[in-house]
Amino acid sequence: MSSDSNVFSSSRYIRIVAYIVLSISALVVLYPILFLVFTSLKDTNGFYTNPFLPTLDVHFENYPQAIQTGKLGLYFMNSVVVAVASVILTVIISVLGGYALGKMKIPGSELIILVFMTFNFIPGIAIYIPLYKMMANMRMLENIFSIILPYVAWQLPFSMYIFKKFFETIPSDLVESGRIDGCSEMQTFMKIVLPLVKPAIATVIVFTFINNWGELMWAQIVTSSSVALKTLPVGLLNFKTEMGVQWGPYAAGLCLVTIPLLVVFAYFQKYFIAGLTQGAVKG
Amino acid sequence: MAVSVNRRYAMIGLVFLLPAIVVYLIFAVVPFFDNLILSFQEWNGFSARSFVGIRNYIDAFEDDIFRTAIKNSVFLGIFSSLISVIIGVLFAWLLLFVSRASGGLYRTILFSPSMIPAVITALIFSFVFEPEFGILNSVFRAVGLESMVHAWLTDQGTVMGCLLFVSAWKQVGLTMVLCFAGMQGIPFSLFEAAKLEGAGDWYIFRRIIAPLTSSFIQLSAIFALMSGLKIYDTVLALTNGGPGNYTMVMPMWIMKNTFSFNEYGFGAAMSVIFVVIVLIGEIAVKKLIKGDAYEF
């Protein structure tokens, strides 16, 4: 739907109001982020003399200082390993499960996905307490899989739901033709089905990545006794106290985490939205 | 013949589904039921677990801080979802009136907070609310409104408002984007017909747009309510439950009792109460906003 020539463009008064309201709101959202960028490039003196606006006196040294003092390099690597591994595993497991539920005539497939989705609403803390003790008993707490595997599990309901919905839109004839041509079920899946499902895979990747990259509570519980496994959200929480009143390096640390995310996801947002909208359009 | 073929596909299907079921059982379903059992037991995390009946639940409801936490979580859930749904739907509607290019830009900017992890959002806002050099107080000083200068996060009169603002700041974009997607699905001819009949923009919004996007509004209300009820990261990074326990929320108090005070059974009981409150919230939204989906 185009907006340039739509029926609403004749409403001049409300158009002006729309531009004003949306511009002010965009500013309210944008300014704290811009302020962070400005501050990350100032030394302490520059910050106190001119806190609001950018200066020409640019100090890049805040960035290396933030990485060294805050161990941000280590936390960043941990977060990357956790996010990438959990996203890959989630996609593999949920694409298979979604295909089974959407295209393979499993009895009670609607009920199965309903059970998954119902569990999905349960707040994590009602699962973490026994799970933590289970991990401790299995001596898994020093192992990064104690973060990765639960992350995979908790993203499965929504991801399978997306894949199931998507597979249901693929004509059965296409799948049948593979079966008739003598492909095994796995060959049919790999050669015929998988190439069609790329948009759904993109949605699931973006979704699970965002959720796992920012997850705090479970990461906090699991890494409470080991610095080596801490992920970025956990590390950043301590970062503030470590940095004291050094606003420049502190802001630089936050920028390092925020800006790449914003750039990447501004690009991917259509997949994110596509996934969310799936939940609203039933049938 | 056909039956046996179907059964064979179903068997292979179960094999495809098996990894998902196994992983989910181990890391979600089994711990959840174990947690239910634990809520009727006393356990310090090391010794043997012993049944104590419903004592943990009685303790939970007699615990002043937990009652404060319930009140705060429910308050943040209800009001942040109300604010973000009202503003989000309004923004989505206003987006219909701007040009395509600027609409895309507004959407990307207003949606961006939804993609930043909640911890980081909260830490960014610790710059805004910081009493000495924070943005908010500096602005008030700069324009000469010294009376508006507050210790925002340690003053009981302002701290809940600040948490509400941050939580809504993060949630509005998502509501807007979802509802805008719903509005784009409405056939254009409906608007044109209404215009020809002489309907005003507000009338079109109330009588056509709002009812036809109700399933999107319902979904975003559920998302907003859930994120408000389950709020943890934001509160932890901004106030850590303070001043005192004034802004304590449910997950934070459960975390403290379980993992700092080693009261595993008590923590489990509180988390079961938390689950019940979340489920009631979800059902309430579904009752309040009818989510009829339309096919055009």
Side-chain angles (χ1 to χ4, degrees):
Chain A
M1 184 175 104
S2 109
S3 307
D4 281 316
S5 59
N6 73 24
V7 276
F8 295 108
S9 54
S10 59
S11 319
R12 262 188 76 189
Y13 170 70
I14 205 162
R15 266 189 79 150
I16 295 167
V17 174
Y19 275 107
I20 293 172
V21 170
L22 290 171
S23 299
I24 292 174
S25 315
L27 208 67
V28 170
V29 165
L30 216 49
Y31 185 71
I33 300 170
L34 284 177
F35 176 84
L36 198 66
V37 179
F38 300 158
T39 307
S40 77
L41 296 172
K42 290 173 189 168
D43 61 3
T44 310
N45 192 27
F47 175 75
Y48 286 136
T49 49
N50 170 21
F52 295 128
L53 297 170
T55 56
L56 293 173
D57 180 26
V58 172
H59 291 263
F60 284 110
E61 69 268 19
N62 288 333
Y63 282 85
Q65 200 189 329
I67 294 171
Q68 281 161 11
T69 321
K71 298 204 195 77
L72 289 191
L74 172 71
Y75 301 149
F76 194 85
M77 281 317 294
N78 285 342
S79 274
V80 168
V81 171
V82 166
V84 170
S86 62
V87 166
I88 291 173
L89 284 172
T90 303
V91 169
I92 294 172
I93 296 177
S94 60
V95 80
L96 288 171
Y99 180 65
L101 290 175
K103 270 279 166 281
M104 294 191 72
K105 304 185 171 100
I106 290 186
S109 58
E110 290 301 323
L111 183 70
I112 294 172
I113 198 72
L114 185 71
V115 171
F116 270 102
M117 291 305 277
T118 308
F119 258 92
N120 205 25
F121 268 112
I122 289 170
I125 189 71
I127 290 170
Y128 300 163
I129 300 171
L131 187 61
Y132 172 75
K133 276 295 161 185
M134 189 182 95
M135 295 256 170
N137 291 339
M138 289 164 64
R139 309 224 169 277
M140 273 190 64
L141 290 183
E142 304 295 309
N143 190 320
I144 201 156
F145 279 98
S146 63
I147 309 178
I148 295 172
L149 290 178
Y151 280 7
V152 173
W154 301 330
Q155 297 303 323
L156 284 179
F158 191 76
S159 311
M160 279 210 295
Y161 178 77
I162 297 277
F163 282 126
K164 175 176 179 290
K165 281 267 164 221
F166 194 87
F167 282 127
E168 280 167 356
T169 64
I170 294 177
S172 292
D173 297 354
L174 221 59
V175 182
E176 295 293 336
S177 70
R179 289 172 180 162
I180 289 162
D181 286 347
C183 292
S184 74
E185 206 57 36
M186 203 53 176
Q187 282 171 324
T188 313
F189 179 75
M190 298 294 279
K191 288 191 180 145
I192 299 175
V193 178
L194 215 49
L196 296 171
V197 80
K198 275 183 191 155
I201 292 179
T203 301
V204 169
I205 289 178
V206 175
F207 224 87
T208 49
F209 188 88
I210 288 185
N211 286 338
N212 292 346
W213 183 259
E215 204 282 336
L216 176 70
M217 206 191 288
W218 176 249
Q220 239 184 342
I221 295 171
V222 170
T223 64
S224 57
S225 54
S226 73
V227 183
L229 291 184
K230 284 199 191 329
T231 54
L232 265 180
V234 186
L236 280 173
L237 211 53
N238 307 329
F239 187 55
K240 194 180 173 186
T241 29
E242 282 164 24
M243 278 295 148
V245 284
Q246 294 173 281
W247 291 63
Y250 177 47
L254 292 181
C255 276
L256 278 175
V257 189
T258 314
I259 307 301
L261 262 188
L262 285 182
V263 173
V264 172
F265 289 120
Y267 180 74
F268 278 113
Q269 62 168 314
K270 67 172 175 180
Y271 294 111
F272 191 77
I273 294 158
L276 284 170
T277 336
Q278 287 259 332
V281 189
K282 293 166 199 135
Chain B
M1 177 64 195
V3 174
S4 72
V5 168
N6 276 348
R7 184 176 295 169
R8 203 174 68 84
Y9 287 145
M11 287 303 291
I12 301 171
L14 281 181
V15 175
F16 277 31
L17 191 59
L18 202 61
I21 289 180
V22 170
V23 171
Y24 204 66
L25 274 179
I26 296 176
F27 296 105
V29 179
V30 171
F32 174 75
F33 286 108
D34 195 14
N35 189 63
L36 269 183
I37 298 170
L38 183 56
S39 74
F40 295 103
Q41 293 173 324
E42 184 171 319
W43 192 34
N44 61 13
F46 301 100
S47 61
R49 292 158 63 159
S50 57
F51 276 95
V52 291
I54 58 166
R55 209 188 70 205
N56 290 326
Y57 287 92
I58 296 171
D59 288 349
F61 285 114
E62 284 177 350
D63 181 356
D64 285 340
I65 302 175
F66 186 56
R67 286 213 299 261
T68 308
I70 294 179
K71 200 190 72 200
N72 286 338
S73 292
V74 171
F75 172 87
L76 288 170
I78 291 175
F79 284 95
S80 78
S81 55
L82 264 181
I83 294 172
S84 71
V85 167
I86 291 171
I87 298 181
V89 172
L90 178 77
F91 282 4
W93 179 54
L94 290 178
L95 278 171
L96 294 173
F97 295 91
V98 302
S99 73
R100 191 188 203 124
S102 44
L105 186 65
Y106 287 134
R107 275 208 313 279
T108 304
I109 293 175
L110 293 173
F111 184 57
S112 58
S114 302
M115 314 213 217
I116 307 176
V119 191
I120 295 171
T121 314
L123 292 174
I124 292 175
F125 271 94
S126 63
F127 277 99
V128 175
F129 296 128
E130 207 274 336
E132 292 218 27
F133 294 98
I135 300 180
L136 206 52
N137 279 350
S138 304
V139 168
F140 284 130
R141 285 199 193 96
V143 296
L145 284 169
E146 290 284 340
S147 62
M148 287 298 289
V149 171
H150 277 93
W152 297 98
L153 296 177
T154 46
D155 184 332
Q156 292 195 350
T158 54
V159 64
M160 284 308 271
C162 294
L163 292 176
L164 203 53
F165 179 82
V166 176
S167 150
W169 185 84
K170 202 170 155 43
Q171 201 66 34
V172 161
L174 186 63
T175 310
M176 176 199 73
V177 152
L178 270 173
C179 295
F180 185 69
M183 290 176 193
Q184 279 188 308
I186 300 172
F188 227 62
S189 50
L190 274 180
F191 299 137
E192 276 161 357
K195 282 251 160 174
L196 283 178
E197 301 275 329
D201 290 310
W202 179 240
Y203 187 85
I204 292 179
F205 174 74
R206 270 193 318 135
R207 291 305 176 88
I208 299 176
I209 296 178
L212 290 183
T213 48
S214 64
S215 66
F216 292 86
I217 296 173
Q218 184 202 57
L219 185 75
S220 44
I222 290 177
F223 280 140
L225 181 70
M226 290 303 131
S227 87
L229 275 178
K230 296 179 186 174
I231 195 167
Y232 168 75
D233 309 19
T234 310
V235 182
L236 184 70
L238 278 175
T239 70
N240 197 12
N245 288 312
Y246 189 76
T247 58
M248 183 59 73
V249 287
M250 281 190 279
M252 190 186 285
W253 189 234
I254 298 169
M255 284 278 282
K256 277 220 169 89
N257 275 281
T258 311
F259 297 107
S260 305
F261 310 154
N262 286 332
E263 299 269 8
Y264 282 76
F266 183 48
M270 289 192 290
S271 72
V272 172
I273 297 170
F274 186 22
V275 171
V276 172
I277 292 174
V278 166
L279 288 179
I280 291 172
E282 195 205 339
I283 295 166
V285 172
K286 284 190 174 158
K287 284 260 189 294
L288 282 172
I289 307 171
K290 272 182 272 154
D292 303 322
Y294 294 89
E295 302 262 352
F296 299 110

